[in-house]
Amino acid sequence: NRTIKWGRLFDYAIDTLGCDYVASGHYARIIDDNGIKKMYPAKDEKKDQQYYLFELNQRHLSRILFPLCDYVKEEIRQIAIDNDLPSKSSKESQDICFITKPMTTKKYITEKLGHKKGDFIYIKDGRKLGTHDGFYQYTIGQRKGIGIAFEEPLYVVKLDAEKNIVYVGTKEDLYEKSCHISDVKFQYPCEALEFDALVKIRYNMQAQKARVFLTADKSSAEIYFDEPITSVTSGQAAVFYDVCDKHLIGGGWID
């Protein structure tokens, strides 16, 4: 989104081709609030895709159309059927779009990166509990596929890419009360250095109440959640929304 779709392609369409707008199939809605463009959930909140668009700014929002904003997915599917469009029988995309069955994400990554032996380390006391074939085959919060016999169910709690270590622990080890984010972006000017917000740290989670504390230059922030949340993962986006009407404010990348 940052580099290709809303980077080079958007700039080419607006600056070189002279297009008035760029249309996108994302499920989101743009509303003008006294000259400031704000992004809101689309009609189909189950398909809400604001999370992926938090880095868009006023230049983008003033030149984007989201034609699906007033439809639910079932209506779009019916339009495709009625007009005999190729997408009428396309399957719902739940994973990486260019990896299709029978290929899986794990198989794809293994083919590209191969096997690299590393250790499973118990995060509570540093014990080695076993070995794995590459940290990149695991995700924070994962339970299935660890393959270690233990007195309690084990979850992936932390990944160390440099040392190829997968840290595991019990469910309680997954919970955290805060996270730090960098490369913060706002969709419109933000005057406050701290504010309450609804925050998502992954696309398919329910937004949680939190307090956002920005640094003086607003390039990074500390987020403190009202209640502990699970599976805080470095490299994923933390996106904040207005507590009253759920419009998107901005976000950053978890350190």
Side-chain angles (χ1 to χ4, degrees):
N1 274 327
R2 173 198 285 186
T3 305
I4 305 299
K5 187 164 191 175
W6 304 117
R8 297 289 293 276
L9 288 177
F10 180 86
D11 291 343
Y12 180 74
I14 301 299
D15 299 333
T16 302
L17 298 181
C19 296
D20 295 318
Y21 296 97
V22 173
S24 174
H26 285 93
Y27 284 86
R29 182 189 307 276
I30 297 173
I31 294 177
D32 186 284
D33 182 7
N34 292 318
I36 295 176
K37 305 295 184 180
K38 295 182 179 180
M39 188 183 299
Y40 286 80
K43 178 181 178 181
D44 192 344
E45 292 200 31
K46 291 186 296 183
K47 298 294 294 180
D48 178 49
Q49 292 176 302
Q50 295 179 89
Y51 176 84
Y52 298 115
L53 304 172
F54 79 91
E55 293 184 294
L56 299 184
N57 55 37
Q58 288 296 294
R59 165 174 156 81
H60 294 108
L61 297 181
S62 64
R63 308 296 287 272
I64 290 174
L65 299 176
F66 291 131
L68 304 190
C69 67
D70 291 318
Y71 297 90
V72 297
K73 185 62 178 280
E74 291 73 19
E75 292 174 311
I76 296 300
R77 178 79 69 187
Q78 189 59 51
I79 290 172
I81 293 171
D82 293 344
N83 292 274
D84 196 28
L85 301 176
S87 58
K88 66 181 181 182
S89 56
S90 63
K91 294 183 179 180
E92 191 80 1
S93 176
Q94 298 289 349
D95 212 327
I96 300 173
C97 60
F98 57 82
I99 299 176
T100 57
K101 292 181 179 180
M103 180 63 73
T104 65
T105 301
K106 187 172 182 178
K107 288 179 181 177
Y108 179 85
I109 293 174
T110 301
E111 280 191 5
K112 296 294 182 183
L113 301 179
H115 294 283
K116 184 179 179 182
K117 286 292 182 184
D119 295 331
F120 281 114
I121 300 295
Y122 190 42
I123 198 162
K124 282 186 171 72
D125 57 21
R127 274 184 292 158
K128 177 180 174 179
L129 299 183
T131 60
H132 57 79
D133 291 324
F135 78 91
Y136 38 80
Q137 298 184 8
Y138 300 89
T139 58
I140 305 297
Q142 179 177 333
R143 177 181 173 184
K144 294 181 180 179
I146 296 176
I148 299 174
F150 201 70
E151 60 261 27
E152 295 183 68
L154 289 175
Y155 298 80
V156 175
V157 176
K158 181 182 176 183
L159 300 172
D160 187 328
E162 187 174 341
K163 297 180 180 178
N164 193 29
I165 293 174
V166 176
Y167 290 93
V168 294
T170 59
K171 192 169 185 177
E172 67 181 21
D173 297 317
L174 283 173
Y175 285 88
E176 296 189 47
K177 197 73 164 49
S178 66
C179 68
H180 187 271
I181 61 173
S182 300
D183 197 16
V184 173
K185 297 288 192 301
F186 290 96
Q187 295 207 325
Y188 56 87
C190 175
E191 301 300 329
L193 287 179
E194 62 178 84
F195 52 89
D196 292 324
L198 296 171
V199 178
K200 284 186 178 185
I201 61 166
R202 55 188 174 275
Y203 163 67
N204 60 351
M205 72 173 285
Q206 185 74 32
Q208 301 296 309
K209 289 183 179 179
R211 186 78 175 170
V212 179
F213 294 86
L214 294 162
T215 55
D217 64 1
K218 300 181 181 177
S219 65
S220 61
E222 195 76 25
I223 300 174
Y224 291 91
F225 295 92
D226 288 9
E227 300 292 336
I229 60 171
T230 65
S231 307
V232 176
T233 304
S234 297
Q236 289 192 170
V239 179
F240 24 90
Y241 307 80
D242 185 84
V243 292
C244 297
D245 63 9
K246 298 182 181 180
H247 77 263
L248 198 154
I249 300 172
W253 299 97
I254 300 172
D255 293 323

